[in-house]
Amino acid sequence: MVDAPDPVPLSALQHWCYCPRQCGLIHLEQAFDDNLHTLRGQAVHARTDQPGVETARGVRVERALPLWHDALGLVGKSDVVEFMPGGAPYPVEYKHGSRHKAPDIAACDDLQLAAQALCLEHMTGQPVPEGALYYASSRRRRVVAIGAELRAQVVATAQAIRQMLASGELPPPLAGEQAARRCKGCSLIDRCQPLATRAGLDAARQTLFDPDA
């Protein structure tokens, strides 16, 4: 009998894609702080976090549906799942802001949505070839195809997170262009101290073998 993998929260995949250290702070050290972006996100999710079912034009809409994938060790819940008249599930992940994110940052949302799709396939036995991201500010959807590359990325990311959690080691902060674009929007920047950490390491390396330092 093969032991089930340790569960990884679906949200952790988005966190890891955005910044592995942010993922570690939240899911390894259980640390979290709010900023304007997270508060706006909570406001967007105020309704979708309340379990409920509605039906309109033959489509059953379920909010806050628990999701899981035993083989991949994924757990979480959806914002919204639309069940088509034939029963096919269609996940919709809600995000604050507009749909015009930088492609590499939008890809983190795609990864979380793809993980939900894999869970729904596992739970229902129905194929989920696509889903959508709904951006509250622009009130527009962006359809995401759940292709082979994205599916493979879900599996690889879940495994990387599981290894990080098992090791107990916090990943290093982002550096360079990624840090310049991503750290300023992160609510955990005061805990992470990415600039101070890098500066400290650089200074330590420069004086490591200096007897006069």
Side-chain angles (χ1 to χ4, degrees), residues 7-200:
V8 170
L10 293 172
S11 60
L13 276 74
Q14 195 274 346
H15 295 145
W16 180 273
C17 182
Y18 190 84
C19 170
R21 186 174 177 89
Q22 182 198 67
C23 181
L25 286 167
I26 295 172
H27 299 281
L28 178 63
E29 299 198 349
Q30 307 296 311
F32 194 79
D33 301 305
D34 279 316
N35 65 5
L36 181 61
H37 300 299
T38 63
L39 291 173
R40 284 176 174 171
Q42 291 171 24
V44 168
H45 286 88
R47 184 162 183 262
T48 60
D49 284 345
Q50 299 298 318
V53 180
E54 300 172 2
T55 300
R57 299 179 182 178
V59 176
R60 189 175 86 250
V61 179
E62 295 203 20
R63 297 190 303 273
L65 181 69
L67 301 175
W68 68 89
H69 194 306
D70 295 328
L72 297 181
L74 298 173
V75 294
K77 66 178 181 179
S78 68
D79 287 339
V80 167
V81 179
E82 298 171 348
F83 288 90
M84 301 298 116
Y90 191 94
V92 182
E93 173 71 12
Y94 279 51
K95 298 293 182 184
H96 79 84
S98 74
R99 56 180 291 184
H100 301 293
K101 293 184 176 180
D104 61 319
I105 295 177
C108 300
D109 298 338
D110 296 0
L111 184 64
Q112 184 179 4
L113 181 69
Q116 294 179 18
L118 266 62
C119 288
L120 286 166
E121 289 183 343
H122 172 76
M123 293 163 57
T124 67
Q126 297 258 21
V128 184
E130 71 175 39
L133 293 157
Y134 175 79
Y135 292 101
S137 295
S138 59
R139 297 183 179 181
R140 297 182 68 181
R141 285 188 177 192
R142 180 168 63 84
V143 174
V144 177
I146 313 300
E149 184 176 348
L150 202 49
R151 292 167 183 266
Q153 190 181 355
V154 169
V155 175
T157 304
Q159 183 59 21
I161 295 169
R162 194 170 289 114
Q163 290 175 352
M164 181 270 294
L165 294 173
S167 73
E169 295 182 6
L170 193 64
L174 296 179
E177 187 268 343
Q178 273 198 330
R181 292 193 298 111
R182 300 188 182 196
C183 292
K184 62 183 179 182
C186 179
S187 69
L188 299 175
I189 188 170
D190 289 339
R191 291 180 185 269
C192 179
Q193 292 291 313
L195 297 177
T197 302
R198 281 200 299 277

